[in-house]
Coordinates of all heavy atoms in Angstrom, one line a residue:
A216 N -0.7 11.3 -19.0 CA -0.2 12.2 -17.8 C -1.3 12.1 -16.7 O -0.9 12.2 -15.6 CB -0.1 13.7 -18.5
L217 N -2.6 12.1 -17.2 CA -3.6 12.2 -16.1 C -3.5 10.7 -15.4 O -3.6 10.7 -14.1 CB -5.1 12.2 -16.7 CG -6.2 12.1 -15.7 CD1 -6.2 13.2 -14.6 CD2 -7.5 12.1 -16.6
C218 N -3.3 9.7 -16.0 CA -3.1 8.3 -15.4 C -2.0 8.3 -14.4 O -2.2 7.8 -13.3 CB -2.9 7.2 -16.5 SG -4.4 6.9 -17.5
E219 N -0.9 8.9 -14.7 CA 0.3 9.0 -13.9 C -0.1 9.8 -12.6 O 0.2 9.4 -11.4 CB 1.4 9.6 -14.5 CG 2.1 8.6 -15.6 CD 3.2 9.4 -16.4 OE1 3.7 10.5 -15.8 OE2 3.7 8.9 -17.2
L220 N -0.8 10.9 -12.9 CA -1.1 11.8 -11.7 C -2.2 11.1 -10.7 O -2.0 11.0 -9.6 CB -1.7 13.0 -12.1 CG -2.3 14.0 -11.1 CD1 -1.0 14.6 -10.3 CD2 -2.9 15.3 -11.9
L221 N -3.2 10.4 -11.4 CA -4.2 9.7 -10.5 C -3.6 8.6 -9.8 O -4.0 8.3 -8.6 CB -5.4 9.3 -11.4 CG -6.2 10.4 -11.9 CD1 -7.3 9.9 -12.8 CD2 -6.8 11.2 -10.8
S222 N -2.8 7.8 -10.5 CA -2.2 6.7 -9.9 C -1.4 7.0 -8.6 O -1.5 6.6 -7.6 CB -1.2 5.9 -10.9 OG -1.9 5.4 -12.0
E223 N -0.5 8.2 -8.7 CA 0.2 8.6 -7.6 C -0.8 9.2 -6.4 O -0.5 8.8 -5.2 CB 1.1 9.8 -8.1 CG 2.2 9.3 -8.9 CD 3.1 10.4 -9.4 OE1 2.8 11.6 -9.0 OE2 4.0 10.4 -10.1
Y224 N -1.8 9.9 -6.7 CA -2.7 10.5 -5.8 C -3.5 9.2 -5.2 O -3.6 9.3 -3.8 CB -3.6 11.3 -6.5 CG -4.6 12.0 -5.5 CD1 -4.2 13.0 -4.6 CD2 -6.0 11.4 -5.3 CE1 -5.2 13.7 -3.8 CE2 -6.8 12.0 -4.4 CZ -6.5 13.0 -3.6 OH -7.3 13.7 -2.7
L225 N -4.1 8.3 -5.9 CA -4.8 7.2 -5.2 C -3.8 6.3 -4.4 O -4.3 5.6 -3.5 CB -5.5 6.5 -6.3 CG -6.6 7.2 -7.1 CD1 -7.2 6.5 -8.3 CD2 -7.7 7.5 -6.0
A226 N -2.6 6.3 -4.8 CA -1.6 5.4 -3.9 C -1.6 5.9 -2.6 O -1.5 5.2 -1.5 CB -0.3 5.2 -4.7
L227 N -1.6 7.2 -2.5 CA -1.5 7.9 -1.1 C -2.9 7.7 -0.5 O -2.8 7.7 0.9 CB -1.4 9.4 -1.3 CG -0.2 9.9 -1.9 CD1 -0.1 11.4 -2.1 CD2 1.0 9.4 -1.1
E228 N -3.9 7.3 -1.1 CA -5.2 6.9 -0.4 C -5.3 5.5 -0.2 O -6.4 4.9 0.4 CB -6.3 7.4 -1.3 CG -6.4 8.9 -1.5 CD -6.8 9.7 -0.3 OE1 -7.5 9.0 0.5 OE2 -6.4 10.9 -0.1
G229 N -4.3 4.7 -0.5 CA -4.4 3.3 -0.1 C -4.8 2.3 -1.3 O -5.1 1.2 -1.1
Y230 N -4.8 2.9 -2.6 CA -5.3 2.1 -3.7 C -4.0 1.9 -4.6 O -3.3 2.7 -4.8 CB -6.3 2.9 -4.5 CG -7.6 3.2 -3.6 CD1 -7.8 4.5 -3.1 CD2 -8.4 2.1 -3.3 CE1 -9.0 4.8 -2.5 CE2 -9.7 2.4 -2.7 CZ -9.9 3.8 -2.2 OH -11.0 4.0 -1.5
A231 N -4.1 0.6 -5.1 CA -3.1 0.2 -6.2 C -3.8 0.3 -7.5 O -4.8 -0.4 -7.7 CB -2.7 -1.1 -5.9
V232 N -3.2 1.2 -8.4 CA -3.9 1.5 -9.6 C -3.0 0.9 -10.8 O -1.7 1.2 -10.9 CB -4.0 3.0 -9.8 CG1 -4.6 3.3 -11.2 CG2 -4.7 3.6 -8.7
E233 N -3.6 0.3 -11.7 CA -3.1 -0.1 -13.0 C -3.8 0.6 -14.1 O -5.0 0.6 -14.1 CB -3.1 -1.7 -13.1 CG -2.6 -2.1 -14.5 CD -2.5 -3.6 -14.6 OE1 -2.6 -4.4 -13.7 OE2 -2.5 -4.0 -15.8
A234 N -3.0 1.2 -15.0 CA -3.6 2.1 -16.0 C -3.3 1.4 -17.4 O -2.2 0.8 -17.6 CB -3.1 3.5 -16.0
V235 N -4.4 1.4 -18.3 CA -4.2 1.0 -19.6 C -5.0 2.0 -20.4 O -5.6 2.7 -20.0 CB -4.9 -0.4 -19.9 CG1 -4.2 -1.6 -19.1 CG2 -6.4 -0.3 -19.5
H236 N -4.5 2.1 -21.8 CA -4.7 3.2 -22.5 C -5.5 3.2 -23.7 O -5.6 4.1 -24.5 CB -3.3 4.0 -22.8 CG -2.5 4.3 -21.6 ND1 -2.9 5.0 -20.6 CD2 -1.2 3.8 -21.3 CE1 -1.9 5.1 -19.6 NE2 -0.9 4.2 -20.0
D237 N -6.0 2.0 -23.8 CA -7.0 1.9 -25.1 C -8.2 0.8 -24.8 O -8.0 0.0 -23.7 CB -6.2 1.4 -26.3 CG -5.7 -0.1 -26.2 OD1 -6.6 -1.1 -26.2 OD2 -4.6 -0.3 -26.0
G238 N -9.2 0.8 -25.4 CA -10.4 0.1 -25.1 C -10.2 -1.3 -25.0 O -10.7 -2.1 -24.1
E239 N -9.5 -2.0 -26.0 CA -9.3 -3.4 -26.0 C -8.5 -3.8 -24.8 O -8.9 -4.9 -24.2 CB -8.7 -3.7 -27.3 CG -9.6 -3.6 -28.7 CD -9.0 -4.2 -29.9 OE1 -7.9 -4.7 -29.7 OE2 -9.7 -4.1 -30.9
A240 N -7.5 -3.3 -24.6 CA -6.6 -3.6 -23.4 C -7.4 -3.3 -22.1 O -7.4 -4.2 -21.1 CB -5.3 -2.8 -23.4

């Protein structure tokens, strides 16, 4: 949920965000 929120917010700031959810990935 935090990843989705940050991805949307940072996109508005001009960043493209890719999220992964475990250490190995």
Side-chain angles (χ1 to χ4, degrees):
L217 176 64
C218 288
E219 291 177 5
L220 181 64
L221 290 182
S222 295
E223 293 176 3
Y224 181 81
L225 291 172
L227 296 175
E228 296 290 332
Y230 300 106
V232 179
E233 179 177 335
V235 293
H236 308 300
D237 70 75
E239 288 187 357

